[in-house]
Each structure stands twice: as C-alpha cells, then as structure tokens.
Amino acid sequence: MITFVQQLKAIQVFYRDFDLKKYPNFTVGTEYPTYKVQQYYQVRSTPYIALYDKDGKLVKAYDKAPKADELAEEVKKI
C-alpha cells in the first residue's frame, strides 16, 4: 500500500491499528515527496488498486474504487 500522505506517523498508526504485521506480503509506505510510483504507473486518481499474482505480474488494475464484492472475487482468483 502506497500513500501520498506526507505524515509518516499517520501511516504507522494505520499499520498498527489494523495489525498489518500479520500479513508478511503487505507493505505500507509513502512515496512523498518524489511521487515516482504515481508517475511510473500514471496514477491519475486515488484510490488506485492494482492486483498482482504470486509471480509479480499485474492481474488487474482499478482507476477508481471497485465494489468490495468485485474486488474480493478478483483476489480469490489469484
């Protein structure tokens, strides 16, 4: 998960409150102030969601928030 939030403390609180450490493949960070990820993937709006398979290949990307059940179905396929 990459956020554009400038305050690292806010991201650390989110990580702690949702106990994300129990998901070893889930990484949280900020790209402020460079926005390199946003530029590379040409993210034009947020949230931008990209799903990758176990080999790191892009499966599907969403330019706008999908419905939760739609996203859950896609994740199950991976």
Side-chain angles (χ1 to χ4, degrees):
M1 180 181 124
I2 300 170
T3 181
F4 304 114
V5 174
Q6 298 176 18
Q7 299 173 343
L8 184 57
K9 183 66 176 170
I11 299 162
Q12 292 168 331
V13 169
F14 179 86
Y15 187 84
R16 182 200 67 218
D17 289 355
F18 288 93
D19 198 22
L20 298 179
K21 68 180 176 226
K22 66 184 175 185
Y23 304 101
N25 63 336
F26 198 95
T27 304
V28 177
T30 182
E31 68 164 350
Y32 176 82
T34 64
Y35 302 106
K36 293 292 183 188
V37 173
Q38 181 182 16
Q39 294 168 11
Y40 181 83
Y41 289 103
Q42 300 176 355
V43 175
R44 304 209 192 298
S45 63
T46 58
Y48 178 82
I49 299 170
L51 302 176
Y52 293 85
D53 65 15
K54 64 181 179 179
D55 298 320
K57 293 183 182 174
L58 180 64
V59 174
K60 188 160 188 166
Y62 298 89
D63 288 331
K64 57 185 178 180
K67 293 183 179 182
D69 57 340
E70 177 187 350
L71 182 58
E73 285 301 315
E74 286 297 327
V75 170
K76 287 178 186 176
K77 293 177 187 177
I78 299 176

